[in-house]
Amino acid sequence: MAGKGGKDSNKPQKITRSTRAGLTFPVGRIDRHLRKQSVHNRIGAGAPVYLAAVLEYLVAEVLELAGNAARDNKKRRITPRHIQLAVRNDDELNKLLGNDTINEGGVLPNIHVNLLPVKSQKKQKKDTSPSQDI
């Protein structure tokens, strides 16, 4: 009955490359996609780890900024609008994703200066010359 349904305790545990690198993103899946879509078959062992780390950092950065935008709008759920606001208000992310369109993201609230009403001077300087009345 030793072989039925139970795990073999003598077998060493498999440690994934993601846990070795301390990452959340799947290194093995990124490696598989790199090998499948690449023109070259020779891909170093560190390339998918590095790429997974960069992708994880970018996603964490965008989610942090989008979470702040959602909190500013008093929402608990991040929507594409919050991601749009987060990306467009950050200089580096806007440069990285400048030509990309975020679906259902909308636009940044902006009114051109020429369209704003001209402020009239309500308080005019009082005439400091002496009064005509004596």
Side-chain angles (χ1 to χ4, degrees):
M1 280 238 168
K4 284 196 169 186
K7 290 188 177 180
D8 192 7
S9 61
N10 297 338
K11 208 177 211 183
Q13 291 287 334
K14 291 184 180 179
I15 300 174
T16 63
R17 288 185 282 176
S18 297
T19 55
R20 282 186 194 153
L23 298 173
T24 306
F25 269 49
V27 175
R29 184 177 300 170
I30 292 173
D31 187 21
R32 185 181 76 230
H33 288 298
L34 275 176
R35 290 185 193 282
K36 185 167 56 169
Q37 294 182 357
S38 177
V39 177
H40 305 290
N41 290 331
R42 296 183 61 165
I43 296 173
V49 177
Y50 194 87
L51 183 59
V54 169
L55 289 174
E56 185 172 325
Y57 170 75
L58 286 174
V59 168
E61 189 74 23
V62 169
L63 283 177
E64 180 184 355
L65 293 173
N68 293 342
R71 191 175 347 109
D72 292 343
N73 291 332
K74 297 176 183 160
K75 304 288 184 191
R76 295 189 64 186
R77 185 173 295 161
I78 295 174
T79 62
R81 174 70 177 160
H82 301 133
I83 296 172
Q84 172 84 322
L85 291 173
V87 168
R88 299 302 171 216
N89 287 327
D90 188 63
D91 292 334
E92 294 172 347
L93 286 174
N94 190 26
K95 188 175 180 182
L96 180 67
L97 302 172
N99 294 329
D100 295 338
T101 302
I102 297 175
N103 199 17
E104 296 290 326
V107 295
L108 285 181
N110 186 22
I111 300 174
H112 199 274
V113 179
N114 294 338
L115 298 175
L116 292 173
V118 179
K119 293 183 179 178
S120 62
Q121 296 178 354
K122 291 182 180 178
K123 295 181 180 178
Q124 295 182 2
K125 291 185 178 179
K126 291 183 179 179
D127 194 10
T128 58
S129 64
S131 174
Q132 297 290 333
D133 299 331
I134 297 183

